Amino acid sequence: WSAKNDGYITSQFYHLAKHPTEGNYILCGTQDNGSWKLTGTGTTNGIYASGGDGAYNHIHQSNPTYQTTQYVYNNFYLSSNSGSSFISQSGSNANTGRFINPSDMDDANNKIWSAGDVNALEERTGVNTGSLSRTAHTLSFNSNQLTALKVSPNNSTTLYVGDDNGYVYKITGRNGTPTIAQTWLLPSSGSGYISSIDVWGNSSNTDDSLLVTLSSYGVNSVYITSNGTAASPTWIDIDDNSTLQ
């Protein structure tokens, strides 16, 4: 028997963030091997950012001086020097949320939104000050826990979140006090959890087009709407061979 794994290098990546201006700069979290900066092309060495399980990472898209890495649950590290060093935010960290806990950076309001415990949305302000401050908001998520978050690219007030039972919530007041404005139930709800939410940016600054994925076995998993501003958006199932190619 001859060994054939010479030079074999692999890691499991949970999440990555792309730098807005440096094309080769990626900040990524890996399973059991910390968070890393990748700044080269091809197979090159990464630069260590923070340890433990690397989870969700974010780079401020308007001011990339500020970047965050994340350990398990709601434990964050913040860089105020363009990723040269990351400082544990012990004053705002909490063992809440999920093991690999979903979050999203709110560039417009210099915040980070993340899942908390059941019926909880967590907010961390101060991204652009070098020190995060935590607030936990109790909202009616049908006694479920959040599994996906996405800030609107079209305005500074709207946030979309999904839970572990297939519900999607439109939240307004992300620049102040968050409030659930609408609750949507996907056709396959109850069979899985919301794994991803995306919102198209457009010139009209309205959230018309949204894409949502539902994760489970044996269910239709990809839904899209083009009338996201309606009271009851029409969700179209596009989990088929003719659409997803």
Side-chain angles (χ1 to χ4, degrees), residues 143-205:
S143 297
N144 298 317
Q145 193 174 16
L146 298 183
T147 54
L149 302 93
K150 180 67 178 181
V151 300
S152 169
N154 297 306
N155 61 72
S156 62
T157 64
T158 307
L159 168 71
Y160 298 90
V161 300
D163 70 19
D164 49 16
N165 203 32
Y167 286 88
V168 179
Y169 306 85
K170 179 180 181 179
I171 294 177
T172 55
R174 87 169 201 248
N175 57 337
T177 302
T179 303
I180 296 177
Q182 292 176 282
T183 301
W184 304 319
L185 193 61
L186 294 184
S188 295
S189 296
S191 302
Y193 67 93
I194 302 299
S195 56
S196 181
I197 303 172
D198 206 359
V199 185
W200 275 264
N202 61 54
S203 58
S204 64
N205 294 324

